[in-house]
Amino acid sequence: MLFRQFFDAATGSYTYLLASGIGREALIIDPVKEQVPQYLQAIAQLDLKLLRAIDTHTHADHITGLGDLREATACVTMMGEFTKAECVSECFRDGDIIGIESLQLQARFTPGHTGESFSLVLDPQRPRAVMTGDVLLIRGTGRTDFQSGDAGRSWDSIHEVLLRLPDETLVYPAHDYKGWTVSSIGEERRYNPRLAGKSREQYIELMNALKLPNPKLMDIAVPANLACGRVY
Ligand code: FE
């Protein structure tokens, strides 16, 4: 399998490029508009054919690369069924399988960070990895205070979907701000300070008391992302 992680330093965003091998069909998860030239370079140099570009949710801190990638490669753009983005060509539902040659990703509805967030499980029969968007971060969880976020739903998504995956399942989030690149379900169960030893009520209280400033780009990024990355 070919698996590449890209980092956008300005926003701490991770993007994942997956294919069954060099010269094969590929998909990309949570691409950042400014980094599209780098993805296209990798796609060309690894002789990949980009078939799908997926956003786990509507990002508030960066502009999606979905529209630019679709223009450059004619790939299919995808988001979960509850997105309000106008120009997504295909939507997936909870349990749907997104296939690329021998690779399978299963879409799992994991709201909480936003009301329309999905996670993507690689090889659902024997889960190897899960791309969690911002619902579950490494030693953290995604904020729940805008875009129909809800701390109780975040807790439920994390406990009823993500933490039910095998302990060794690797966790690849859409962001990190401290230099972590990958974790595992078992690690997060034991060491995530927002989850370990906490009750649902304590988690909701903690999340509702965060009082984070809005992301710098939010007023630009959310409307742009609802238009697949077009900036007016
Ligand atoms: Fe987010």
Side-chain angles (χ1 to χ4, degrees), residues 154-174:
S154 163
W155 174 272
D156 295 341
S157 292
I158 290 168
H159 284 81
E160 289 166 20
V161 179
L162 299 175
L163 294 187
R164 290 197 179 170
L165 293 166
D167 271 3
E168 60 276 17
T169 311
L170 296 174
V171 173
Y172 287 103

Side-chain angles (χ1 to χ4, degrees), residues 44-64:
Q45 291 176 344
L46 297 169
D47 192 24
L48 300 172
K49 179 166 172 45
L50 188 70
L51 290 195
R52 297 176 186 280
I54 305 172
D55 270 345
T56 52
H57 63 289
T58 302
H59 298 283
D61 64 328
H62 67 262
I63 297 173
T64 178

Side-chain angles (χ1 to χ4, degrees), residues 74-106:
C75 66
V76 172
T77 53
M78 303 182 79
M79 285 186 78
E81 60 176 327
F82 305 115
T83 182
K84 294 193 169 65
E86 60 179 48
C87 50
V88 169
S89 12
E90 270 182 40
C91 288
F92 42 78
R93 289 189 288 192
D94 186 53
D96 280 357
I97 300 286
I98 302 159
I100 283 281
E101 296 183 341
S102 59
L103 293 183
Q104 287 197 331
L105 286 176
Q106 186 176 42

Side-chain angles (χ1 to χ4, degrees), residues 4-122:
R4 294 287 186 276
Q5 183 178 42
F6 295 91
F7 185 58
D8 178 61
T11 59
S13 302
Y14 286 129
T15 299
Y16 302 97
L17 177 67
L18 281 76
S20 52
I22 290 174
R24 310 301 290 265
E25 296 176 347
L27 62 80
I28 195 163
I29 300 169
D30 288 330
V32 176
K33 185 179 176 81
E34 284 74 19
Q35 304 298 334
V36 164
Q38 189 184 31
Y39 313 142
L40 293 174
Q41 180 188 0
I43 287 164
Q45 291 176 344
L46 297 169
D47 192 24
L48 300 172
K49 179 166 172 45
L50 188 70
L51 290 195
R52 297 176 186 280
I54 305 172
D55 270 345
T56 52
H57 63 289
T58 302
H59 298 283
D61 64 328
H62 67 262
I63 297 173
T64 178
L66 250 56
D68 288 1
L69 284 168
R70 183 168 65 184
E71 267 169 40
T73 68
C75 66
V76 172
T77 53
M78 303 182 79
M79 285 186 78
E81 60 176 327
F82 305 115
T83 182
K84 294 193 169 65
E86 60 179 48
C87 50
V88 169
S89 12
E90 270 182 40
C91 288
F92 42 78
R93 289 189 288 192
D94 186 53
D96 280 357
I97 300 286
I98 302 159
I100 283 281
E101 296 183 341
S102 59
L103 293 183
Q104 287 197 331
L105 286 176
Q106 186 176 42
R108 296 304 314 272
F109 183 44
T110 50
H113 168 61
T114 69
E116 37 82 278
S117 294
F118 273 74
S119 298
L120 298 163
V121 178
L122 177 64

